[in-house]
Amino acid sequence: VHEAAAPVDLTSLKRIKRELVAPPFVHEHEQIAPGGPRIVEFEMKIIEKEIEVDRGAYLQGMTFDGSIPGPMMVVHEGDYVELTLINPPENMLQHNIDFHAATGALGGGALTLVNPGEKTVLRFKATRPGTFVYHCAPGGPMIPWHVASGMAGTIMVLPREGLSDHNGDPVKYDRVYYIGENEFYIPKDENGDYIRYEDVGESYPDTLEVMNGLIPSHVVFNGKVGALTGENAMKAKQGEKVLFVHSQANRDTRPHLIGGHGDLVWEAGKFNNVPDRDLETWFIRGGSAGAALYEFLQPGVYAYVNHNLIEAVNLGATAHVVVEGEWNNDLMEQVVAPTEYSGA
Amino acid sequence: VHEAAAPVDLTSLKRIKRELVAPPFVHEHEQIAPGGPRIVEFEMKIIEKEIEVDRGAYLQGMTFDGSIPGPMMVVHEGDYVELTLINPPENMLQHNIDFHAATGALGGGALTLVNPGEKTVLRFKATRPGTFVYHCAPGGPMIPWHVASGMAGTIMVLPREGLSDHNGDPVKYDRVYYIGENEFYIPKDENGDYIRYEDVGESYPDTLEVMNGLIPSHVVFNGKVGALTGENAMKAKQGEKVLFVHSQANRDTRPHLIGGHGDLVWEAGKFNNVPDRDLETWFIRGGSAGAALYEFLQPGVYAYVNHNLIEAVNLGATAHVVVEGEWNNDLMEQVVAPTEYSGA
Amino acid sequence: VHEAAAPVDLTSLKRIKRELVAPPFVHEHEQIAPGGPRIVEFEMKIIEKEIEVDRGAYLQGMTFDGSIPGPMMVVHEGDYVELTLINPPENMLQHNIDFHAATGALGGGALTLVNPGEKTVLRFKATRPGTFVYHCAPGGPMIPWHVASGMAGTIMVLPREGLSDHNGDPVKYDRVYYIGENEFYIPKDENGDYIRYEDVGESYPDTLEVMNGLIPSHVVFNGKVGALTGENAMKAKQGEKVLFVHSQANRDTRPHLIGGHGDLVWEAGKFNNVPDRDLETWFIRGGSAGAALYEFLQPGVYAYVNHNLIEAVNLGATAHVVVEGEWNNDLMEQVVAPTEYSGA
Ligand SMILES: [Cu+2]
Ligand SMILES: [Cu+2]
Ligand SMILES: [Cu+2]
Ligand SMILES: [Cu+2]
Ligand SMILES: [Cu+2]
Ligand SMILES: [Cu+2]
Ligand SMILES: [Mg+2]
Ligand SMILES: [Mg+2]
Ligand SMILES: [Mg+2]
Ligand SMILES: [Mg+2]
Ligand SMILES: [Mg+2]
Ligand SMILES: [Mg+2]
Ligand SMILES: [Mg+2]
Ligand SMILES: [Mg+2]
Ligand SMILES: [Mg+2]
């Protein structure tokens, strides 16, 4: 239907190829754009695979580039994103990609439907600064199923001059972490044990029934319980400003850093808006990505949670941040350690 | 209790009578008020009727003026809304109306309780600009039941000078659509089939039980699955600015336009606040109406969804917008169509 | 791990001791700080006790100072909060306190774990103005359980100069009420009757199972159905500005005042941000406290609800505000009382 579209000549633009890395890490990038708009090239391979999301709980997962969430991309406002999307022959299903950052054609979904053994290349212009979800959306009931199986990630479109605070003054981050939250709907048998399926197709009918009840069996960060705790905890140093990008492609969530705050929070993730300050908890609308900047002021192990504490602790949505530094007694002091109390 | 209230003389004000139309359409109105405050007259008839909300799923519906949602009313800040509310004799139940835009008397609910075969007239002053829910609230457990049966709509109170953007500059819309989202709680029998009831009274006990479990059977736009798709899709032209007003009188939702954005979004719906820009997804608090303005930049069929994709696709909350125009390859291009891929 | 922390000398600061009072009331306090920063002393005793949250529905409750929610504390930005936390010997469980307003050590949770028969003293500096949740967080699955059993409250950190409106102009409240919303997960037996347990320990396994299903049996304000209605209704006078502080430590909610509005709403509760105006319904992210200021313009009985009306009416989340004054017919008038209607 679009064959008469006017051609566009981008041959004068510089190209740069970015190697994607698995979350919570983010590929190398400049916060302030080093020059004019570029075409930024990415490549992602879709991988269907079984994943043990909690002990004894197996998901027939679907992934962008092997990770849940898919890798985070970073470009600047005015850049062009050029993605090569590969559906290898060993997969069973058709997939595509819908970028919330893009304009038209179902976010690119209508132009990127690839069968197993196919690849395609999509280019779009990143016209709006912010953090935006991308996800698979191959049509009909495949859409929620593929998303609930793990096919979602985030692109961050930075303002060319970098981020700015509530006064419009520039602000830089020392580190950035990408937390992708997913909820899974893993069916149980009549004994209450999770069912393990032979393949993704076999898992569909039961999974659909659980999904339609809207109550997940698991709510996790980065694909499985414990993906960001213990040895996998995020790290920071006192005095560093850390940008936490948080996405949830399907269901609302409310990130909270226990013992910390959001100094500057773009709750809806869009950098043309004035960030909120001092937040205890921020809200990610299902189908969006938001960003929170925090300067760590105390050392210690912080828990970063979805502050529905049932979802955080019992269903899995907990990460850790290990922060080095020196304790500041002015901010907090244990004046009297727990000691005997013998009645009023 | 209010018999000593001071009378008010509005005889000097002009009156105008508006004919309400069924959503997603909105009655004729001026965006900028053509003069001083007026008394704007509306009339709504409450209609109880069975509705097939999805194939084989029947709701014992309750409606304002025959539609779910009820029709959208438009006035300007400072105008007086004068509503004649009719409960025809063929209905079974008592109803009323609570305007979130109004001040006092439970939003008018305390002054408008009408039995079958009664009518009443309520007048209130629209003092705050924004989009506001109205709904039936006849007391006790009737309140959630009537709302969950369809009795809710929206009034838009425009600033007298019309809308303004994040800079305070005036902005006009070329079209306005009203999407009312409802969730239904239709009971199933022991075989998992939806139960069809003789009348609204018979449906109550089972429906109450499903409602209290908080998981709906259906989540729909404009009263039924497919009310705004196919032949009923909304329409627009490239370059047009469309205002989407979205209400949910009971349960949170998160509208998203696939392949589009919210250029200016009044998420909580109140026009005295600075609108957010560039949103991918916006959040409608249960019991409120919000507004999002978007200029369509590409042609095509857009899906407008509640971005809990299970609710959108499997439970029904999907609409379409068909947009005419010419494809812009600068914004997006299919660089390489899906083609064979024979391994890494 | 923090033994090398530099000491801090606060001996020059004035101390003031505040007596906490049960919600919805708030202890005596100044809106504008009367001088420089002070150390504000509070004491709370943790009390485990059975509570009848609705007729025939018994919660094995856990409380700060005997009330659900725990009492609201008020200090000013820059003040130091010094809390003595007591776990009396008659309790069964270990508890602690995590202040969202504090910085480091899991909000103080890591420094305040007290066994039955112990007490501790924590001091932290209130560096960010706003309303913030505090709650028990004794580790692992105890966290959601203790919160869902009632252990949460709010501290309000006022700007030293008091609140200011959307223009930055000072604004004062005539009254403040604190509404703490909780959802409970009380198990039922095979007949659908609520199970009453011998003690808190016995209640845990069944409660955990209900909690993990994410659907509460009760959603209430101030600890039980009817805690703020009838004789316990809040009171106000026409023309008074009332600040409603609303917390939910675990689950999202959406307060609404039927027949009223939020004139100035700090939805996320943090006073460095510009308040929203004219809201019909505002959203409290699970794990946060927000604040809404309203000047009552009409007399009458207002319902203050969580505007998921099922949760409000059927599950319990309804309060009342009784307002004295004279009816204003300009704002609203019953033009024609309900009267016979004999057909179209
Ligand atoms: Cu897919
Ligand atoms: Cu999407
Ligand atoms: Cu009704
Ligand atoms: Cu309402
Ligand atoms: Cu506790
Ligand atoms: Cu917390
Ligand atoms: Mg790669
Ligand atoms: Mg900016
Ligand atoms: Mg800071
Ligand atoms: Mg009519
Ligand atoms: Mg305006
Ligand atoms: Mg635009
Ligand atoms: Mg005390
Ligand atoms: Mg301020
Ligand atoms: Mg007012």
Side-chain angles (χ1 to χ4, degrees), chain B residues 183-230:
Chain B
E183 90 278 15
F184 300 130
Y185 302 87
I186 302 184
K188 286 179 170 170
D189 63 22
E190 59 283 353
N191 301 319
D193 298 321
Y194 289 115
I195 303 173
R196 187 170 179 180
Y197 295 93
E198 284 300 311
D199 59 40
V200 64
E202 193 203 30
S203 77
Y204 179 64
D206 292 353
T207 303
L208 180 68
E209 195 179 327
V210 181
M211 283 171 59
N212 289 352
L214 299 177
I215 301 294
S217 59
H218 299 80
V219 181
V220 302
F221 296 154
N222 290 23
K224 58 174 73 174
V225 176
L228 298 174
T229 58

Side-chain angles (χ1 to χ4, degrees), chain B residues 62 94-96 136 138 146 151:
Chain B
M62 310 179 199
Q94 194 185 51
H95 302 279
N96 71 351
C136 189
H146 287 224
M151 291 193 79

Side-chain angles (χ1 to χ4, degrees), chain A residues 35-99:
Chain A
R38 298 182 289 195
I39 300 174
V40 186
E41 300 176 10
F42 299 101
E43 182 184 297
M44 290 202 302
K45 211 171 269 177
I46 295 159
I47 299 174
E48 303 169 358
K49 61 176 177 182
E50 191 187 50
I51 300 169
E52 189 177 14
V53 299
D54 194 8
R55 203 188 315 197
Y58 292 88
L59 174 78
Q60 285 290 335
M62 311 179 198
T63 73
F64 285 109
D65 241 34
S67 64
I68 296 179
M72 188 160 112
M73 305 169 180
V74 184
V75 302
H76 286 87
E77 189 180 350
D79 287 348
Y80 293 80
V81 175
E82 196 171 286
L83 172 70
T84 300
L85 184 66
I86 298 169
N87 191 351
E90 57 270 26
N91 283 343
M92 288 184 64
L93 302 170
Q94 192 184 52
H95 302 279
N96 70 351
I97 191 162
D98 162 5
F99 281 100

Side-chain angles (χ1 to χ4, degrees), chain A residues 215-216 219 251-252 254 256 258-263 267 275-283 285 294-295 297-303 307-311 313-315 326-344, chain C residues 2 5-6 8 45 80 86 98 100-108 111 113 117-125 127-129 131-133 135 140-141 143-144 147 185 208 211-215 249-250 252 268 270 272-273 283 285-289:
Chain A
I215 301 295
V219 180
R251 190 166 171 272
D252 304 327
R254 51 212 71 65
H256 171 91
I258 305 183
H261 297 90
D263 289 331
E267 220 190 32
D276 284 320
R277 296 166 66 192
D278 299 326
L279 297 197
E280 58 185 318
T281 301
W282 44 103
F283 188 69
R285 295 123 186 86
Y294 184 59
E295 178 186 336
L297 302 174
Q298 296 276 36
V301 179
Y302 290 73
H307 206 297
N308 180 311
L309 297 165
I310 302 169
E311 299 184 13
V313 179
N314 297 357
L315 303 192
E326 285 186 29
W327 185 257
N328 178 343
N329 271 318
D330 186 48
L331 285 174
M332 182 182 287
E333 184 169 349
Q334 191 188 42
V335 179
V336 179
T339 181
E340 197 187 334
Y341 169 81
S342 51
Chain C
H2 301 141
V8 55
K45 211 172 268 178
Y80 293 80
I86 298 169
D98 162 4
H100 287 189
T103 302
L106 302 174
L111 304 179
L113 270 171
E118 288 184 347
K119 68 173 181 177
T120 189
V121 182
L122 178 79
R123 192 194 65 228
F124 74 90
K125 190 173 186 174
T127 58
R128 300 171 194 259
T131 51
F132 293 88
V133 161
H135 62 85
I143 301 174
V147 170
Y185 302 87
L208 179 69
M211 281 171 58
N212 289 352
L214 298 176
I215 300 295
N250 196 59
D252 304 328
K270 308 309 170 279
N272 275 329
N273 301 295
F283 188 69
R285 295 123 185 88
S288 77

